[in-house]
Amino acid sequence: MKNIASCLSCDIKLNMFCHMTDNQLNNVNDHRKEVRYKAGETIFKTGGPLTHMICLTKGMVKVYLEDPYTDKRILLSILKPVELVLGPGFLVDNSHHLTAVAMEETTACFINIEEQKSIMESNTKYTMAILEHVNKKVIKQFEKMQCLTHKHTHGKMADALLYLANAVYENDVFDTLLSRQDLADLSAMTKETTIRLLKEFSDEGIIKCEQNHFEILNKEKLEKISISG
């Protein structure tokens, strides 16, 4: 697919790209590929080769941690523009350890890993920005694992709803493309438990839930449930 705009003039490029020189940005642009995905298409798969870093420029993407021996998976996060997708296999085994799936029509720029290594070797500020980004992601995953490990079902469900309202949709009223199974995967519970908890929260007046439309009616109570676990 023909690239629409150059990295140098792009108004939605990653903040960390400001640390690159014009020549480096032009070099990235010469080697990048822009790809479009339909809803439900896999962007990369656990175990697949990690050959590019990905810059999400349009749409939303679900990122899963999958068990290679079962059908179980955990929905770790939902990405939206403008977001860098660079898995932990970078500089380690050059393999994907996560799976990413488009939730809707999505556009992403693929940037060659070898080009990135070359830039990082010669540009300390850019390298530091990459490390900062990766470490922030790691901290969020630690927090996610702590929630899933130590909280009971009500706390997990509260955390999932607060995450969607605060981090993903940035509104207490939102329509989501996530299915009930996705919500279950987001909170590491069964689909049946997720449906039961949503009904409980709805009956208690904490949320309003009609199919894919959600309204958080009592955020203070939801936050208390999250804290108490």
Side-chain angles (χ1 to χ4, degrees):
M1 179 180 297
K2 185 178 180 180
N3 294 328
I4 296 174
S6 73
C7 295
L8 194 60
S9 61
C10 181
D11 58 359
I12 57 171
K13 59 177 173 282
L14 293 162
N15 289 335
M16 65 186 68
F17 279 18
C18 70
H19 297 296
M20 289 190 198
T21 66
D22 289 354
N23 285 338
Q24 287 171 336
L25 274 174
N26 284 329
N27 194 40
V28 167
N29 186 73
D30 290 341
H31 294 88
R32 75 180 175 93
K33 299 293 181 182
E34 189 177 83
V35 183
R36 292 181 182 175
Y37 296 89
K38 296 179 181 179
E41 288 190 323
T42 298
I43 298 175
F44 55 81
K45 177 75 173 175
T46 299
L50 195 165
T51 58
H52 294 75
M53 62 180 278
I54 301 169
C55 180
L56 179 66
T57 57
K58 178 185 176 183
M60 283 190 174
V61 172
K62 299 180 288 188
V63 178
Y64 291 99
L65 177 64
E66 293 187 312
D67 186 330
Y69 304 105
T70 69
D71 292 331
K72 294 182 179 180
R73 61 185 185 179
I74 298 174
L75 178 49
L76 291 177
S77 60
I78 297 171
L79 306 182
K80 58 183 182 177
V82 176
E83 179 66 74
L84 172 68
V85 186
L86 184 62
F90 177 56
L91 299 179
V92 180
D93 59 3
N94 295 320
S95 295
H96 284 294
H97 294 261
L98 303 170
T99 296
V101 178
M103 294 174 59
E104 58 188 0
E105 184 175 315
T106 295
T107 303
C109 286
F110 282 66
I111 303 171
N112 186 275
I113 284 294
E114 295 305 317
E115 292 298 323
Q116 285 299 298
K117 289 179 182 179
S118 177
I119 293 172
M120 290 173 68
E121 288 172 355
S122 62
N123 189 327
T124 304
K125 288 186 178 180
Y126 178 66
T127 302
M128 295 295 287
I130 290 283
L131 290 174
E132 179 183 0
H133 173 85
V134 171
N135 287 336
K136 285 180 178 179
K137 290 291 182 182
V138 170
I139 290 171
K140 288 182 180 179
Q141 299 312 326
F142 284 166
E143 292 172 349
K144 175 81 172 181
M145 291 301 105
Q146 186 176 40
C147 163
L148 298 183
T149 302
H150 298 294
K151 293 190 178 183
H152 298 294
T153 54
H154 287 76
K156 292 178 183 180
M157 190 76 261
D159 275 3
L161 292 170
L162 289 169
Y163 169 69
L164 293 175
N166 296 336
V168 179
Y169 297 104
E170 301 180 47
N171 199 309
D172 290 348
V173 179
F174 57 88
D175 294 298
T176 181
L177 295 170
L178 296 174
S179 66
R180 292 299 185 265
Q181 184 60 58
D182 287 327
L183 289 174
D185 293 336
L186 183 61
S187 48
M189 298 186 293
T190 65
K191 181 179 177 180
E192 292 73 21
T193 299
T194 297
I195 293 172
R196 174 176 59 81
L197 289 172
L198 289 176
K199 186 177 186 306
E200 283 186 22
F201 284 8
S202 181
D203 291 343
E204 294 175 15
I206 301 173
I207 65 169
K208 180 179 179 181
C209 173
E210 296 178 355
Q211 296 186 1
N212 289 337
H213 179 77
F214 286 79
E215 296 181 25
I216 296 180
L217 305 177
N218 191 336
K219 197 166 190 177
E220 182 178 357
K221 188 170 183 178
L222 195 63
E223 289 170 342
K224 286 182 179 179
I225 294 173
S226 169
I227 293 172
S228 64

